[in-house]
Amino acid sequence: MTSRKIFLTEDEMPRQWYNILADIKMNPPLGPDGNPVGPDSLAPVFPMNLIEQEVSTERWITIPDEVLDILTTWRPSPLVRARNLEKALGTPAKIYYKNESVSPAGSHKPNTAVAQAYYNKEFGIKKLTTETGAGQWGSALSYACSQFGLECKIFMVRISFDQKPYRKSMMGAWGGNCIPSPSDQTRAGRDALAKDPNTPGSLGIAISEAIECAVTDESGETRYALGSVLNHVMLHQTIIGLEARKQFEKVGDYPDVIIGCAGGGSNFAGIAFPFVYDKIHGKDIEIYPVEPMGCPTMTKAPFVYDHGDTAKYTPLLAMHSLGHAFVPPPFHAGGLRYHGMAPTVSQLVCEGIVTPRAVSQLSTFEAGVLFARSEGIIPAPESNHAIACVIEEANKAKEEGKEKVILFNLSGHGLLDLAGYDRFFAGELSNILMNDDDLKASEAVFADYPKPAILKHD
Ligand SMILES: *Cc1c(COP(=O)(O)O)cnc(C)c1O
């Protein structure tokens, strides 16, 4: 019998991250004047060592020993064969998942939080500000800051602040200071409240608040940290896929299909980019980022230049975007409520190297419940999007009678998202869709912006 879990030893952990910028071409971020922004203009927001990573085109970047040391608290994470799920589906497909729920915060997010806290500390920074949607990133960064003795202030999207009280408790346990966004502490927050005092908030608004809070701190010892979207965040997450590749080698297997849910794109990038490298170099793999139908960034929105935040503090990024003013409907996968998509993931979508999919809210909870009852782990509502797609693929393999190998990323557990499960069981959830009129209205904001070039890798 083949083993259910495939482990690496700490000695076998990858020692370098994979930087996809070595293998694809990208439209540069643009400043207010329409010209590419230089690294210096980002200096009030991020420490220079992370800015250098953001623009680096080196294929392999060494993971500092101090970062590896803390990652070994829970890494390498197991690669698990979901045999019970296979049985429940009666599929000939082999389903594997990378279990990223084993980290202290319960998701993949500490992989980059630890690295970012380390580089800020190295640069002499004392305090980090950030935003959080479902609370996953805020808790991951609070944890990471506690490891390096940094202060942490978190602007949490109002609807999640109300729906997920225990995430606040986690941030507090690690010493983080969490407040609901929009708040009255920043100009961006006050503007949003003036427009709509009952707004559920959005990641776009919370990002604006966190950036403003960092750049207006006169001590110069505060910087901002982002949990997804940017190149250096994708880079830090590639440890997931690099480990998975080694684990597959150990059992002499290799995936035909790779699936990850995508909000800003980081856990998807983490599991997929090392395999994108293989695909660019000739491997035949299908790669699916999965998003909610209620926030259909890749499947419905165009590839444009747009801001990453509502108050337009960030440079223009070339990405799929629903418009920086878009406030996604209050569905339960808070981590997927973002108007944009990582520029790297967007570029891969444009080139057809990865193929986006969208799933409905009810199908994601059905998938999560089937996973919990077969595999045991109760997944995060975000991860359920990946699982819904896995089930579609496993059923397709059954119809076709093919023994496909499917790999997905279990980006986190759902033990702090049980209110969403309760509402599902009570029949209170529905499928949230976006119609074409809403889509057009939300996209009006970038009509006058420059358009990105259509680029192709060599
Ligand atoms: C934040 C989060 C996501 C979405 O963010 P990405 O950057 O797209 O990965 C997905 N799953 C979990 C568990 C999360 O916490």
Side-chain angles (χ1 to χ4, degrees):
M1 199 170 87
T2 54
S3 54
R4 190 187 292 271
K5 294 194 296 304
I6 304 148
F7 287 109
L8 298 177
T9 65
E10 288 176 19
D11 287 341
E12 292 170 317
M13 264 175 87
R15 290 293 191 272
Q16 295 169 315
W17 292 299
Y18 167 58
N19 180 12
I20 199 161
L21 297 188
D23 291 294
I24 58 175
K25 290 185 183 143
M26 299 277 293
N27 285 277
L30 303 181
D33 58 1
N35 290 319
V37 294
D40 286 347
S41 67
L42 295 172
V45 183
F46 300 109
M48 197 46 83
N49 48 9
L50 278 177
I51 295 171
E52 281 161 12
Q53 255 180 18
E54 180 65 18
V55 299
S56 169
T57 54
E58 292 287 316
R59 183 171 286 119
W60 300 103
I61 295 183
T62 298
I63 306 174
D65 286 342
E66 294 87 338
V67 173
L68 261 186
D69 181 54
I70 293 181
L71 293 182
T72 57
T73 308
W74 71 94
R75 303 206 76 85
S77 73
L79 178 71
V80 187
R81 175 89 183 268
R83 262 199 245 122
N84 294 0
L85 178 63
E86 292 169 13
K87 232 182 265 162
L89 294 168
T91 179
K94 290 197 261 179
I95 302 172
Y96 292 89
Y97 65 91
K98 203 51 181 154
N99 185 359
E100 290 297 309
S101 79
V102 297
S103 78
S107 77
H108 66 288
K109 293 209 170 71
N111 296 332
T112 183
V114 168
Q116 292 191 47
Y118 166 79
Y119 285 111
N120 274 283
K121 170 96 178 184
E122 278 292 292
F123 195 69
I125 298 304
K126 300 279 194 307
K127 176 175 171 181
L128 289 177
T129 67
T130 197
E131 76 294 329
T132 195
Q136 289 273 19
W137 171 241
S139 45
L141 194 67
S142 295
Y143 156 70
C145 284
S146 77
Q147 299 297 296
F148 290 101
L150 299 174
E151 252 187 89
C152 186
K153 176 162 181 170
I154 307 109
F155 292 86
M156 183 168 186
V157 176
R158 159 71 65 182
I159 181 170
S160 300
F161 191 87
D162 296 336
Q163 280 179 350
K164 312 202 168 179
Y166 294 123
R167 283 275 163 205
K168 275 175 276 182
S169 315
M170 289 174 77
M171 292 179 229
W174 281 310
N177 171 18
C178 173
I179 63 168
S181 165
S183 76
D184 59 8
Q185 296 190 7
T186 65
R187 207 200 67 203
R190 289 189 295 273
D191 284 353
L193 286 171
K195 266 199 199 122
D196 178 5
N198 296 315
T199 175
S202 70
L203 273 176
I205 297 168
I207 293 172
S208 299
E209 288 209 90
I211 294 177
E212 185 180 327
C213 185
V215 301
T216 54
D217 177 2
E218 283 164 9
S219 74
E221 292 176 340
T222 300
R223 290 291 184 279
Y224 164 73
L226 188 59
S228 189
V229 179
L230 296 179
N231 303 336
H232 66 271
V233 181
M234 307 293 129
L235 174 80
H236 301 152
Q237 293 293 356
T238 58
I239 192 160
I240 303 171
L242 292 167
E243 282 179 5
R245 227 167 42 174
K246 282 195 161 185
Q247 285 160 312
F248 273 116
E249 258 168 45
K250 279 201 161 176
V251 290
D253 221 338
Y254 190 87
D256 301 301
V257 181
I258 296 171
I259 296 169
C261 66
S266 74
N267 89 85
F268 167 75
I271 195 142
F273 281 6
F275 294 96
V276 165
Y277 175 84
D278 291 351
K279 183 165 180 172
I280 288 175
H281 293 86
K283 280 270 191 193
D284 183 16
I285 323 169
E286 291 163 59
I287 307 178
Y288 301 119
V290 188
E291 64 187 7
M293 284 181 177
C295 191
T297 314
M298 295 173 290
T299 50
K300 291 228 162 151
F303 180 62
V304 293
Y305 267 117
D306 195 11
H307 294 284
D309 71 313
T310 305
K312 304 189 252 187
Y313 292 154
T314 74
L316 288 172
L317 304 173
M319 61 182 178
H320 289 82
S321 176
L322 290 159
H324 58 258
F326 178 61
V327 177
F331 51 78
H332 265 275
L336 306 182
R337 293 180 70 241
Y338 183 60
H339 69 272
M341 182 50 60
T344 45
V345 174
S346 291
Q347 177 60 32
L348 294 174
V349 170
C350 283
E351 292 193 45
I353 296 172
V354 309
T355 310
R357 307 265 288 254
V359 290
S360 68
Q361 173 155 269
L362 290 179
S363 76
T364 65
F365 276 96
E366 281 158 17
V369 170
L370 179 64
F371 190 82
R373 290 180 188 174
S374 53
E375 291 298 315
I377 297 172
I378 301 172
E382 291 86 357
S383 312
N384 286 345
H385 289 67
I387 300 171
C389 181
V390 167
I391 293 173
E392 285 177 19
E393 286 301 304
N395 286 337
K396 197 168 100 191
K398 184 172 164 181
E399 279 162 29
E400 294 170 352
K402 283 194 188 146
E403 197 197 81
K404 276 194 183 162
V405 177
I406 301 172
L407 167 67
F408 79 95
N409 198 27
L410 185 75
S411 54
H413 67 64
L415 295 181
L416 288 123
D417 304 288
L418 296 175
Y421 278 90
D422 279 347
R423 292 195 63 203
F424 173 67
F425 292 130
E428 290 169 18
L429 295 185
S430 56
N431 284 332
I432 298 171
L433 307 176
M434 216 182 153
N435 70 40
D436 289 347
D437 288 344
D438 292 345
L439 204 63
K440 271 215 189 81
S442 78
E443 290 169 358
V445 293
F446 50 66
D448 298 337
Y449 293 170
K451 297 283 172 270
I454 300 303
L455 302 172
K456 197 116 182 78
H457 73 274
D458 293 328

